[in-house]
Amino acid sequence: MAPRKVTIAELHRLHREAQPIVALSLYDAVTAGFADESGTHIILIGDSVGMTMLGYADTIGVTLEQSLHHTAAVARGTKYAMVVGDMPFLTYNVNVAEAMHNAGRFMQEAGAEAVKVEGGRNIAPTVARMVEAGIPVMGHIGLLPQRVKVQGRYRIHGREAGEAQSLMTDATALVEAGAFSIVLEGMPAELAKQITDSVPVPTIGIGAGVHCSGQIQVSHDLLGLLEAYLPKHARRYAELASEVRDAFAAYARDVTNHDFPGADEST
Ligand code: KIV
């Protein structure tokens, strides 16, 4: 079948038919085109852009303007996948009016087809207002990178019964607010299964085991671009860091030795 634009209806069909949903977090038009060719269903312009592209230690420093800039680039490079803009720290939880305005910018200025926000029942009233206004929203519960300064570190959530129950309540609140899908990050596989079995929308896991309706990974982890660290949940499908390093070293050597440009590369 010829590729078709991925819509919420298509994601829900895949979910109903128990076909895994493929999602990637990436940040530029070129890799967006490659992901699109691969049949990836959802491209998230994650606020992980802070660490992968912008040199920050975490996601906290990422601004709305930076996210809009990268989202617009991805939207230009994507034909089929659903483009989801990740709303950065403090752009959706100060007040509802600001959240609506900022989410609107993702849709109108950057070409996003949906936005993602971190949080559960605390953010549900904002999610409901966005959905009511025509903005599709993806939820995100479990390990929430935007709370790292409060929590002090990244850790698995929901190991203990009270926290697991609280995550279940968060998932239900997001569904009731109209979220079309929920990212489950950093939680035991069994809890992710229970949430997945109890909500009517697809769950997209990262570090949440095999039972989610789909999986999302950060493209730089899969591509081996960040050599220093590979999260436990990630698998390297390429070793681009060493290829890029070798290529730059070879180019520098050739220029230094007057081997580049050669006769064929000169006019
Ligand atoms: O920022 C990001 O890339 C994300 C995904 C990993 C879910 O939030």
Side-chain angles (χ1 to χ4, degrees):
M1 206 198 321
R4 299 186 290 193
K5 184 70 197 157
V6 176
T7 58
I8 293 177
E10 173 67 359
L11 294 175
H12 286 184
R13 183 189 68 77
L14 292 166
H15 176 230
R16 263 194 323 275
E17 295 177 5
Q19 292 188 44
I21 294 169
V22 182
L24 265 173
S25 187
L26 52 80
Y27 324 94
D28 68 277
V30 174
T31 56
F34 294 145
D36 221 27
E37 279 172 30
S38 76
T40 294
H41 301 109
I42 298 173
I43 299 180
L44 172 75
I45 303 83
D47 59 357
S48 51
V49 69
M51 292 88 88
T52 54
M53 305 287 289
L54 302 177
Y56 296 143
D58 51 43
T59 62
I60 305 302
V62 177
T63 66
L64 181 63
E65 299 306 324
Q66 288 165 342
S67 289
L68 292 171
H69 172 86
H70 284 274
T71 301
V74 167
R76 286 191 287 270
T78 306
K79 261 204 228 147
Y80 304 113
M82 176 183 285
V83 174
V84 181
D86 200 6
M87 296 193 73
F89 184 62
L90 288 192
T91 62
Y92 56 93
N93 34 21
V94 173
N95 60 59
V96 174
E98 205 171 288
M100 300 285 289
H101 176 74
N102 292 338
R105 291 191 67 192
F106 272 97
M107 309 272 295
Q108 291 188 302
E109 292 176 31
E113 293 154 305
V115 296
K116 176 171 85 58
V117 294
E118 292 185 9
R121 40 199 193 281
N122 61 321
I123 205 73
T126 304
V127 172
R129 283 294 309 282
M130 287 181 184
V131 175
E132 211 175 79
I135 301 169
V137 182
M138 177 180 246
H140 182 161
I141 60 173
L143 189 164
L144 302 180
Q146 291 177 14
R147 304 242 178 109
V148 69
K149 303 286 190 207
V150 171
Q151 296 182 342
R153 67 193 171 94
Y154 300 106
R155 67 167 177 87
I156 298 296
H157 284 244
R159 280 212 167 103
E160 175 264 315
E163 201 171 60
Q165 185 50 52
S166 171
L167 288 171
M168 194 70 94
T169 310
D170 281 339
T172 304
L174 287 169
V175 169
E176 283 170 1
F180 72 89
S181 173
I182 307 174
V183 169
L184 306 182
E185 178 163 2
M187 67 178 68
E190 189 46 41
L191 174 60
K193 179 176 182 340
Q194 283 169 21
I195 294 174
T196 301
D197 289 346
S198 73
V199 295
V201 301
T203 59
I204 310 294
I206 174 162
V210 75
H211 304 294
C212 298
S213 324
Q215 297 290 329
I216 185 160
Q217 287 284 305
V218 169
S219 56
H220 280 48
D221 291 336
L222 302 193
L223 297 176
L225 272 166
L226 303 174
E227 284 177 312
Y229 175 65
L230 183 69
K232 180 176 179 297
H233 59 71
R235 185 181 296 173
R236 271 203 187 140
Y237 288 87
E239 297 291 347
L240 290 197
S242 56
E243 291 219 22
V244 172
R245 182 181 300 108
D246 291 351
F248 286 172
Y251 167 68
R253 206 171 42 238
D254 285 353
V255 172
T256 306
N257 295 338
H258 305 282
D259 282 340
F260 179 85
D264 292 351
E265 290 140 342
S266 306
T267 48

